[in-house]
Amino acid sequence: MRDLLDRLDGWRDEQIEFLARLVNHDSGTDDVLDVNRAGAILAERLEGLGFALRRVATERFGDHLVGEKPGTGPKRFLFVGHYDTVFRSGTAKQRPFHIDAQGRAWGPGVYDMKGGLAALLYALRAHREARSRAWTETSVAVVFNADEERLSPTSRPVIEAEAKRAHSVGILEPARPGGEYVMARKGAGTFQLEVSGKASHAGLQPEMGASAIWDLAQKIAALHALTDFGTGVTVNVGSVRGGERPNVVAAHAAAEIDLRAWSQADADAAIAAMRRICEAPHVAGTTARFHGQIHFPPWPPGLPGTERLLQIMRAVGRDLGVEVRAIKTGGGSDGNHTSAIAPTLDGMGPKGSRAHSDEEFIEAATLLERTKMIALFLDRWAAEFEIVPPC
Ligand SMILES: [Zn+2]
């Protein structure tokens, strides 16, 4: 353990420089050339660590990187991190990586989630150079995906396939602002509602019209009333549009709806209720179409596999004098997908705040701290995690 920690301490400045380099290469999801340039930095590192690397090309996004390092033992651990950001090309030029007097590091994607990637790569390097037992015996796989900020449409099958081969999964999303790990995430879905009515002159023949807006408005009220902070089911109509001009009874109106829930049963019940609301006409002469789906399946709280990983992380925290806490959150990640397949722990990256904004930062010192946590976690996981025997 001391060996791993000493090595990591020795690389502290170098690791910050590596993170700076990563942050200063923009990788906005839709800027494929940028993304692949940032990916090349990661690919070089993985190959340097002895990973066999596969690039999964897609038509719309940058390449997903899938790496694999075999071990002599039966256990296999998967790390998942995305390297796309929400920031478009040129952002890093405008506000490059820097550390302020308070020790906060700034720059596009520094928190979500290039900090997590930099932490993992150095944790693995420490294992490799120390020739640790964990490194020798454990098969380690990584997926660095390039489309997470668009909800992982093309990387999801890649991640799920790797999760099926792994005994546990660590997600490199950042820690919450208080340093918490993530042990559960709500399921999330997006739905569309389109209402068709009948146009008419609002002054001459209002009775001949059927207002799609009036119908939609009442549906919105009923949809929002489904929100229950007690169960955690939330329904949010996040955008509406409709109508042409004030003196015409609106023939069309539409809404986009976000649904979140802790369990599939809650989600199914909410979707059924949403459908009932949407399909019942409030205004005679209108018709409605409701469709959509759950994109992130729920990662419910209290999964035994997640609890076990958290237990291991807590022991690591005791070794390092760091109190390990974990929370559940309404926001989705690739952990939603993997948790349904293999024990998953999320939020392994550095501590910071304000993701997806130009005020995004990490507490720079937690880069090294989280790197140590990952390194020692892998050590303990290799030694202590019980593989459920195949039946
Ligand atoms: Zn993220």
Side-chain angles (χ1 to χ4, degrees):
M1 172 175 129
R2 198 63 259 162
D3 190 11
L4 293 172
L5 299 182
D6 287 347
R7 282 170 202 273
L8 291 171
D9 281 329
W11 296 329
R12 187 180 63 181
D13 295 344
E14 186 198 316
Q15 188 184 17
I16 291 279
E17 274 165 38
F18 175 72
L19 176 59
R21 191 170 153 225
L22 209 51
V23 168
N24 288 337
H25 278 73
D26 281 317
S27 53
T29 316
D30 299 324
D31 304 322
V32 174
L33 291 179
D34 280 356
V35 172
N36 284 340
R37 269 193 289 268
I41 298 173
L42 298 166
E44 187 195 337
R45 286 287 169 143
L46 286 172
E47 284 173 335
L49 291 168
F51 278 79
L53 202 63
R54 188 159 62 85
R55 287 176 179 77
V56 180
T58 66
E59 269 175 28
R60 203 182 130 199
F61 302 107
D63 295 347
H64 309 309
L65 305 177
V66 182
E68 179 173 14
K69 188 236 32 119
T72 56
K75 289 199 220 173
R76 185 179 178 94
F77 196 94
L78 170 66
F79 289 100
V80 178
H82 66 87
Y83 70 99
D84 62 322
T85 74
V86 297
F87 301 104
R88 61 189 157 71
S89 205
T91 307
K93 276 230 158 51
Q94 287 163 10
R95 43 183 195 91
F97 180 93
H98 71 282
I99 300 181
D100 67 15
Q102 284 75 45
R104 290 183 164 177
W106 305 76
V110 68
Y111 177 61
D112 186 12
M113 53 178 283
K114 291 179 173 178
L117 301 176
L120 174 70
L121 290 170
Y122 276 80
L124 296 180
R125 181 178 165 193
H127 273 285
R128 175 180 161 89
E129 296 196 9
R131 296 178 208 278
S132 71
R133 193 168 156 189
W135 183 256
T136 308
E137 293 181 355
T138 310
S139 297
V140 179
V142 298
V143 177
F144 290 165
N145 54 328
D147 63 353
E148 197 270 353
E149 298 292 5
R150 294 279 182 218
L151 308 181
S152 305
T154 62
S155 61
R156 180 178 174 175
V158 178
I159 291 167
E160 289 181 340
E162 287 300 319
K164 281 189 187 123
R165 301 176 63 201
H167 297 106
S168 294
V169 183
I171 307 281
L172 300 164
E173 289 286 349
R176 302 297 101 174
E180 299 91 346
Y181 288 84
V182 176
M183 58 174 172
R185 291 180 181 271
K186 283 184 185 177
T190 307
F191 297 82
Q192 281 80 37
L193 169 58
E194 287 137 34
V195 181
S196 301
K198 195 160 183 259
S200 192
H201 192 301
L204 294 180
Q205 294 178 309
E207 72 285 355
M208 302 282 284
S211 172
I213 288 182
W214 179 222
D215 187 77
L216 178 63
Q218 294 177 80
K219 288 182 161 117
I220 289 172
L223 288 167
H224 267 256
L226 294 175
T227 289
D228 180 344
F229 292 122
T231 62
V233 172
T234 61
V235 176
N236 180 58
V237 179
S239 83
V240 292
R241 57 184 198 284
E244 299 286 340
R245 50 176 72 208
N247 59 358
V248 179
V249 174
H252 298 286
E256 283 181 301
I257 308 157
D258 179 281
L259 168 67
R260 312 263 160 167
W262 282 120
S263 72
Q264 193 59 48
D266 281 357
D268 290 343
I271 292 169
M274 287 162 74
R275 187 176 298 284
R276 273 197 303 279
I277 289 165
C278 291
E279 290 178 352
H282 287 269
V283 174
T286 61
T287 56
R289 215 167 83 81
F290 170 76
H291 57 104
Q293 59 181 316
I294 294 286
H295 296 290
F296 286 112
W299 173 5
L303 289 187
T306 297
E307 291 294 330
R308 179 70 186 108
L309 297 185
L310 206 45
Q311 208 176 28
I312 295 173
M313 192 60 95
R314 286 204 184 94
V316 169
R318 283 192 291 275
D319 290 342
L320 287 174
V322 175
E323 193 202 341
V324 169
R325 281 167 297 139
I327 53 145
K328 38 188 201 161
T329 173
S333 87
D334 289 318
N336 287 70
H337 305 307
T338 62
S339 62
I341 299 169
T344 298
L345 185 61
D346 199 344
M348 291 189 145
K351 169 175 155 183
S353 190
R354 303 287 292 121
H356 294 195
S357 84
D358 57 10
E359 293 164 21
E360 175 189 21
F361 68 89
I362 61 167
E363 305 289 352
T366 67
L367 175 64
L368 178 57
E369 182 184 288
R370 288 280 167 156
T371 305
K372 290 177 175 176
M373 297 288 282
I374 293 173
L376 296 195
F377 176 83
L378 189 60
D379 214 31
R380 271 191 182 269
W381 185 87
E384 297 173 9
F385 185 83
E386 311 81 4
I387 304 179
V388 182
C391 37

